[in-house]
Each structure stands twice: as structure tokens, then as C-alpha cells.
Amino acid sequence: MKKLLILGAGQYQVPIIEQAKAMGLYTIVVSPHGDYPGLKTADKVYYLDVRDERSILEVAKKEEIAGVTTDQTDIAVRTVAFVAAEMNLPGIGYDCAKLFTDKYLMRKMTRRLGLPTIEYRMVHDINDARDFFVSLEGNAIIKPVDNQGSRGVFLIHSEEELEADFAEAQQFSASGQVIIERHITGREFEVDSILVDHDEKTLMYADTDLFDIPNVFASRTRLYPSVADTETIHRLLDLNHKIITGFGLKQGLTHSEYIMDEKSGEIYLIEAAARGGGSYISSHIGRLQTGLNTSEFLVDLATGEIDKIPEFETARCHCGYVTFFLPEGVVADTASIEDVARLPYVYKHTLDDIKVGMKTESFSDKSARYVVIAQAQTREMLDKRIDEIRNILQIKVKTDDGIKGPVWK
């Protein structure tokens, strides 16, 4: 029986673990200790940090694996590439993996390709950051170069805010490196692609709407396909193609985010990832939009069983996710969760994670969100169904300020 090494055991890695098992592979998962559902699903588990490249390589050699993969997480991308290269297995190459997991390298390469790039600078200390912030003569974003989940990202309006937040941004960076860039406002998009042997095709594209919560850079909805005008979609997909192919990605799934400057109309890359989108974008929304089993594709790719992009459809329906946070406190009532779960148009959700008596913490990044995926035949109907979900889902949390419900905005 072939063995597949899968890095990560969180809820968003469960689909690929289950798919590999259904395809007759012996699944070996690497994960830190924790309450991760994939630990119970896999055939075998090694408890390691998924960034521990050398230790995981030793596991791969010991188990004589036929392939290595991950999905819906950035943290494991470099290790997957490292192990694949060292064992001569299908992969994207370590340098390419670094490019897709380092925001500074992304911007540097985008500029080298002659593509529109948000004004930015890598900064090593507060003085360097302050000098660049002053030169921008406007608001800025500071972010770790190599983290995920929007942790350590701050919108900066003043030198005082920069002083207060810079050290924390550094702490969230594994390398201790931070970039600062001009803050741009405008419409945001997402594009997901599929590649085999450097051949890239668009899978799907979405409109993104963010929470209006200070320094919580998380999407409250992602709705597919985007309803932007044809000319904007053409420019968006063309830019994505130039970035993904220009970065030299050989194979896999991509998940990239873009913003269109409301002043100039220029479209800029926010970040690109060499993996499927999280929150079940890759495994579930992808299938709704295209009919393609992306988990099966990734397993076949990792084990060398595929040499061309499989057939798929585009924009088969209107679908997407709506997300929410819970306020800090103790969950007192979850009765409405069953009502939402029974809705015929709800395709997938993470509501089962919410239990009466559960303590909820203050939230600062997208990792604390809960997700509901819905589908419809038109955008108008999808919007109505999302409103219905919000109206039905009346989770009650006991806080210091009384009973409160989900945070939708």
C-alpha cells in the first residue's frame, strides 16, 4: 500500500486525509499535539512542528512515502516542498515555496516582472519603519513577511500607532522580518488556479467583503463568481496568470487575493499562496463551482498519478461563505445551530465546534471565525440566503456586558 505524508491535521486538512484513505493510500499525518480532528482520521501520526523540515524528512525516509502534500494552510508549504525535493517526489521546489510564503519576496518578484506593485519596504527596526511611514504621507499596513491568518497585521494611521504595534508584528514573524506598505482601499477579489507541469488555468474567482473591525483583516463573505464587470474580471485573471506563471509555480492549487485601488482603478496583488484556499474554499467551494474534486487532484499530483489538468466546469452556480466571530464570554445557547444546519442550501459549516458552556476568547485574526457555506442559482438569491442565515443563527454568549450574539460585521 502506498503511503502519503500529509502535513497538518486541522479541520481544513481532514478532506484530503479522508480522500487519500478513500483512494486506498495509507495516510501518515504530521502535526503538533492538540485537539485536531485529522489526528483521529489518519492511519498514523507523528507529533512534530510542521515547519521542522529535517525531522519530517527523516519520517518520510523511514516510512518510504510515495508522496507528500498539504492543503488550506501556508505553514506547511515549505516543508512539503523540501521533503519532495530531497526525496525526488513531485513538488514545486523549495525556492518557489519560499516565494509563495514570504510577502517581501512576493512583492519583489512582482515588481521584477514589471507588474503593478503596492509601494513597500522591508524594515528591520522601528527607525527604518518610521522613516518609510513618514515618506508615504498617508496610512500604511505593517505585516510579518512569513505568517498566516492575518496575525500581526496592523493598519497604521500615525507614528504613535507604529511605535505601539511594530514589535508585535515582529513577534508574529518566524524570521523577525516585517514589511510596511502603502494602505490602499478599494474592492477586493480572490482568484484560485490549478496547475500541472506549469500549465495554469483559472478555477474560480470571488468578491471579498471584509469585517469592519480594527486590525482584524478577515473576510466576512467570499462570493463566487465575482459579479464585477467583464473588463475588470479580464484584467484580474490576466494579472493572476502573469503572477502565478511568473513566480515559476509548476503544479498544484493557488489561492491569491487582490485589491483594486478605488482612486486609480489599478489592481494589485495582496498575497499569493501555493495551496488551496482555507475555510473549505479548496475542498468544498471548489467542487460547487467547478465539479472538480480538488482533494483527489492533490493526492494524484503528490503521488505522480496525473500529467495534465483534469476537466472541470466554471461558475456552475453562485456560492460562497459567510463568517462570524463570537464575542468574548461563555456560550449560553446554541439551539439555532440545528436550524441553520438543516437549511437545504447550506453545503458545509463549522457550527458543530460551538458548544454550550464553551469559553470564547477575544479575537484578532481570521482563525477565530466560524464558517457557513451556502449555494444558489443567482447572486441575488445567494445574498437573500446569507441574510436568512444571519437572521436564524441566534447563538447567545454571556459576556461581561450581558447576552450578545454573533459578530457579523
Side-chain angles (χ1 to χ4, degrees):
M1 180 181 292
K2 287 185 177 180
K3 297 180 179 180
L4 181 66
L5 185 62
I6 300 169
L7 305 193
Q11 60 185 336
Y12 300 131
Q13 285 76 59
V14 169
I16 196 169
I17 299 171
E18 292 179 338
Q19 181 63 47
K21 292 185 70 172
M23 294 167 67
L25 279 75
Y26 185 83
T27 55
I28 304 169
V29 160
V30 172
S31 168
H33 286 276
D35 186 21
Y36 302 116
L39 300 177
K40 299 176 182 178
T41 308
D43 295 302
K44 191 171 186 178
V45 176
Y46 285 87
Y47 292 101
L48 295 166
D49 185 330
V50 297
R51 294 167 294 190
D52 187 347
E53 297 170 356
R54 290 292 174 184
S55 295
I56 294 173
L57 176 60
E58 291 307 308
V59 168
K61 290 178 177 178
K62 173 185 174 183
E63 295 289 349
E64 298 181 338
I65 63 169
V68 55
T69 190
T70 191
D71 193 27
Q72 304 191 50
T73 178
D74 282 326
I75 295 176
V77 168
R78 291 193 191 189
T79 306
V80 169
F82 175 78
V83 172
E86 289 293 315
M87 296 192 65
N88 198 30
L89 295 169
I92 65 175
Y94 194 68
D95 287 341
C96 188
K98 288 197 296 183
L99 183 58
F100 276 93
T101 53
D102 186 305
K103 295 175 180 63
Y104 170 68
L105 295 179
M106 286 180 207
R107 278 146 182 74
K108 187 177 179 181
M109 178 58 78
T110 303
R111 179 172 288 175
R112 184 180 298 171
L113 292 170
L115 300 174
T117 309
I118 298 173
E119 192 175 357
Y120 72 96
R121 180 185 292 179
M122 168 84 83
V123 292
H124 303 284
D125 56 48
I126 186 62
N127 293 325
D128 195 15
R130 187 187 303 107
D131 289 344
F132 187 65
F133 174 74
V134 170
S135 73
L136 291 176
E137 298 182 338
N139 297 335
I141 297 282
I142 57 171
K143 58 183 70 174
V145 301
D146 51 5
N147 203 2
Q148 71 168 17
S150 302
R151 300 178 182 90
V153 181
F154 297 95
L155 173 59
I156 303 299
H157 302 88
S158 66
E159 291 184 55
E160 289 74 21
E161 288 184 354
L162 182 62
E163 294 274 358
D165 296 329
F166 182 80
E168 186 171 352
Q170 271 191 316
Q171 289 174 2
F172 276 99
S173 172
S175 63
Q177 297 178 317
V178 172
I179 62 169
I180 180 169
E181 62 187 19
R182 182 180 298 280
H183 178 234
I184 291 175
T185 56
R187 188 171 185 174
E188 296 197 19
F189 303 95
E190 172 213 311
V191 182
D192 298 80
S193 295
I194 184 170
L195 296 94
V196 174
D197 196 20
H198 297 284
D199 181 23
E200 182 268 348
K201 291 184 179 179
T202 300
L203 278 174
M204 54 191 181
Y205 47 93
D207 292 313
T208 299
D209 184 28
L210 301 183
F211 281 89
D212 187 21
I213 303 172
N215 293 321
V216 176
F217 297 89
S219 52
R220 57 196 292 261
T221 61
R222 287 193 194 271
L223 305 182
Y224 306 73
S226 169
V227 292
D229 62 86
T230 302
E231 188 269 341
T232 297
I233 294 298
H234 175 78
R235 289 196 294 127
L236 174 67
L237 300 187
D238 180 63
L239 176 60
N240 185 71
H241 175 77
K242 289 175 178 176
I243 287 173
I244 299 304
T245 56
F247 282 16
L249 187 63
K250 179 181 179 180
Q251 62 181 36
L253 300 176
T254 72
H255 175 78
S256 303
E257 299 175 359
Y258 295 89
I259 186 168
M260 184 167 67
D261 189 340
E262 63 183 5
K263 295 180 180 179
S264 67
E266 191 71 79
I267 301 175
Y268 296 98
L269 174 70
I270 298 175
E271 61 181 84
R275 43 85 179 170
S279 301
Y280 297 120
I281 291 172
S282 171
S283 55
H284 288 72
I285 292 177
R287 190 176 296 197
L288 283 173
Q289 276 285 279
T290 69
L292 180 66
N293 184 336
T294 56
S295 296
E296 181 180 16
F297 166 74
L298 289 173
V299 172
D300 281 339
L301 199 64
T303 54
E305 297 295 327
I306 195 167
D307 59 5
K308 64 179 180 179
I309 294 176
E311 296 294 325
F312 62 89
E313 302 175 65
T314 57
R316 297 200 311 165
C317 66
H318 286 266
C319 62
Y321 67 52
V322 57
T323 71
F324 63 92
F325 294 99
L326 289 177
E328 184 176 4
V330 178
V331 176
D333 185 1
T334 62
S336 61
I337 286 178
E338 293 183 5
D339 297 328
V340 170
R342 284 196 297 263
L343 292 171
Y345 53 79
V346 168
Y347 184 65
K348 183 70 175 177
H349 62 78
T350 61
L351 303 179
D352 292 339
D353 296 339
I354 305 170
K355 309 292 183 182
V356 171
M358 181 180 80
K359 292 183 179 180
T360 57
E361 306 293 336
S362 60
F363 50 86
S364 60
D365 60 72
K366 64 182 68 175
S367 63
R369 294 176 303 171
Y370 296 91
V371 177
V372 180
I373 296 174
Q375 59 181 317
Q377 291 306 307
T378 66
R379 173 61 72 86
E380 181 181 16
M381 179 59 68
L382 182 60
D383 287 338
K384 289 180 179 178
R385 288 177 171 178
I386 288 173
D387 286 341
E388 186 174 5
I389 289 168
R390 288 171 172 152
N391 289 331
I392 294 174
L393 194 60
Q394 299 296 320
I395 299 167
K396 296 178 181 178
V397 179
K398 184 178 181 180
T399 75
D400 290 341
D401 298 319
I403 297 296
K404 293 187 177 181
V407 179
W408 296 105
K409 297 180 180 181

